[in-house]
Amino acid sequence: MSAAGTVPEPPSRRERSHWLIEGIATQGRVIGALIMREMQTRFGRHNLGFLWMFFEPLFLGCMVGLMHTAHGRQLPGGVNPFLFSIVGYVPFFMFRSIVNRAGSALHSNLTLLFHRQVTPVDVMIARNLLEAAAVIGVIVIIVSGAAWFFEIVPANVAQILFALILMCLLCHGLSMMLAAATSRWEGLDRLIHPITYLMMPLSGAFYALHWFPSHLRELLLWNPLVSLHEAIREGMFGDRFPSYYDIPYVVWWILGTNLLGLAALRTARRKLNIF
Amino acid sequence: MKVSPSIKAFDPAAPASASVPGSSRKKPSRLMAGLRKWRGFLLAVVLPTALAATYFYAIAAGQFASEARFLVRGSSGGGGALGGALGAALGGAGFKPVQEEAMAVRDFLRSQDAVRAVRQSVDLVSIWRRPEADLPAMLWTDEPSVETLTRYYRRMVTAEYDSESGTVAVQARSFRPEDSRLLAEALLVASENLVNQLSERQREDTLGTARREVEIAESRVLAAREALTTFRQEGRAIDPARESAANVASVSALEGALTQTRAELQEKGAYMRADNPQIQLLRNRISALERQIVAERERLTTGEHAVPQQLANYERLMLEREFADRQLVSAAASLESARVDAARQQLYVARITQPQLSESPQYPKAAFTVGSVFVVLAVVYGIASLILAGFREHAA
């Protein structure tokens, strides 16, 4: 910020409104531009282009769902195993892709960060919005497909959406922390992948807590992802089987990670600007 | 931010606070600058925390809690739930299929039904509108609807099921210790009533079928005896089996007599003339016996009261009576065992701790609440200020 003070005033092209509105508008434009850029660098302009964004989680989710269906185990409450695993896997896919990409986010946008108005937070928001939009879109496709073709109507759509948004926020906070940390310690990026991979059995994506004895349940609930997956499942299947989650605990996680992430990115930017 | 505050603002403040003898280390202008710099934090975090602290430490009336614990006992499991030490802290209620009755009681205690039940014996509204109650904590309306009252009730009354010990803990809060105890006692009585009702219902269910079985068997026995009596009256026979034996015996006696008479006739015919009156007598007797035998045979084997027919009917009735008797015996036995079962399944509330008069107010938890208000606001302020700083950065 001290740097901002020394920069000479840009020529005023138009009437300037309050700095807050100005700032929000500029940040919105920056994020919008970053999203466009991100889509083009990642998916290109030809063929299906950004539709790939939806296909990737959809395809993976369907494959995982089919595998579980072919496995043919019976789920309690007469829940459709395909839907069960897809509703668990797709949100986890979002977590994994957001967190996995966090390490390289700043590095791949390093050139852009030399522009004064592009901040690391903008980069993270743009990337994470893209991922979140893809996953929420896929969930909408799957849920409406299930309702349309198989007449499996979700019990509480608002709850699914709410839990998904909470998950986005949590992943956003985590990704900001990780991005800042990787810019400081390069080697951390190598650790993120195995850790997210190991998180898979711990995140409650493929099982309901109801299947476990209560002491294991309590241990697993320390992981906020488990609560979110349970909440999504309850929104999908209602009370076919009991769900266990603790939203206030998740909100604490979101607040904590976002605060730390925002603060860490600010300090990280100073380091980035030096070289 | 560092460049924004103007220098002018500090100048008038400098001599004013310099005259204050108390401020030793910091220069007054530094103090004002500090205040100005941190005014967002002061307004958004420190002020609400201070307000909360004022309310909780100076204004809020103490709330007295009274807690009671009880077990719901019955044969359907002694509450041997595993683990769950972290318990209700995280996942809310630890659901366990054992001890459904205890869970049912807990759900009842959280429900509107409990409010209605308790309201019959305790004046809830006046308890929660005592003059010493402070405004934010008291019940706001004089004549609340049941829904409003239930919402408030859920704030002041908690019921928890501990899956590890299998106990239900009910805690009632109010502004006077005796009120709290009264309320907790009323809640206990209401749960006892509920459990008794459940138990009675279960008993009825178990015994009802067995009782009906016994009734059916009884009526069958009665009908069988009735039928036997009618048969005896109509057929004028007490015991057709024995009677027919007697009849057969009499026929064979007649046949014996006939044979003897014939032999006598043979013997007398050897030395008597044919017109001898004794011979005539014998002949008459023979023909009488023959007629008698034919008549007897006729009577035994043909017609309405023929012996085989009679015997078949009689035996059927006897068999029916025997079956009915056996059914009655087994139905009575199963009723007996159902009664034993019902006695074993009897549910009851076993009180572990009685509601007590508390001596000092336990609520509101001032330090914890103020502390958490501060932490939450500080974190939110941190995030908000970072986001705002982002906006400012973009605007620059």
Side-chain angles (χ1 to χ4, degrees), chain A residues 16 19-20 22-24 26-27 116-117 119 122 214-215 217-218 221-222 244 246 252 255 258-259 262-263 266 269, chain B residues 1 82-84 86-87 89-91 93 95 375-376 379-380 382-383 386-396:
Chain A
R16 303 200 66 172
W19 65 264
L20 188 65
E22 192 82 2
I24 291 174
T26 317
Q27 186 160 20
R116 185 169 46 83
Q117 286 179 328
T119 60
D122 294 339
S214 64
H215 55 99
R217 200 146 64 205
E218 303 303 341
L221 272 175
W222 284 104
Y244 306 86
D246 189 356
W252 274 114
L255 287 177
N258 276 287
L259 178 66
L262 282 169
R266 288 190 80 75
R269 180 170 202 198
Chain B
M1 256 198 287
L82 286 168
L86 293 162
L90 285 179
F95 185 89
V375 172
V376 169
V379 169
V380 170
I383 292 177
L386 283 170
I387 290 173
L388 279 179
F391 291 155
R392 189 175 281 128
E393 217 169 343
H394 284 93

Side-chain angles (χ1 to χ4, degrees), chain B residues 30-177:
Chain B
R30 296 274 298 275
L31 181 72
M32 286 305 284
L35 280 180
R36 193 165 282 271
K37 186 181 171 192
W38 289 101
R39 71 171 172 226
F41 185 75
L42 288 174
L43 275 177
V45 180
V46 178
L47 186 68
T49 311
L51 283 179
T54 326
Y55 167 69
F56 280 112
Y57 282 106
I59 300 170
Q63 294 172 14
F64 298 85
S66 186
E67 200 191 62
R69 274 177 181 276
F70 59 86
L71 272 170
V72 180
R73 276 284 176 100
S75 67
S76 54
L82 286 168
L86 293 162
L90 285 179
F95 185 89
K96 270 278 161 186
V98 294
Q99 282 285 357
E100 301 94 339
E101 286 84 8
M103 310 276 281
V105 172
R106 183 202 58 191
D107 291 346
F108 165 75
L109 284 173
R110 290 174 178 173
S111 73
Q112 212 179 70
D113 266 11
V115 177
R116 288 179 203 271
V118 170
R119 224 179 165 182
Q120 282 166 5
S121 59
V122 180
D123 187 1
L124 288 178
V125 177
S126 68
I127 276 184
W128 284 325
R129 282 181 68 80
R130 295 289 186 209
E132 56 263 46
D134 60 299
L135 192 63
M138 75 196 279
L139 183 63
W140 284 352
T141 52
D142 225 347
E143 287 173 347
S145 62
V146 183
E147 287 75 22
T148 319
L149 190 62
T150 309
R151 215 175 304 135
Y152 188 78
Y153 167 91
R154 289 202 182 116
R155 227 169 85 191
M156 301 299 271
V157 173
T158 58
E160 295 295 338
Y161 171 67
D162 183 353
S163 62
E164 199 161 5
S165 60
T167 57
V168 178
V170 55
Q171 190 198 51
R173 277 191 274 152
S174 73
F175 302 99
R176 287 180 190 171

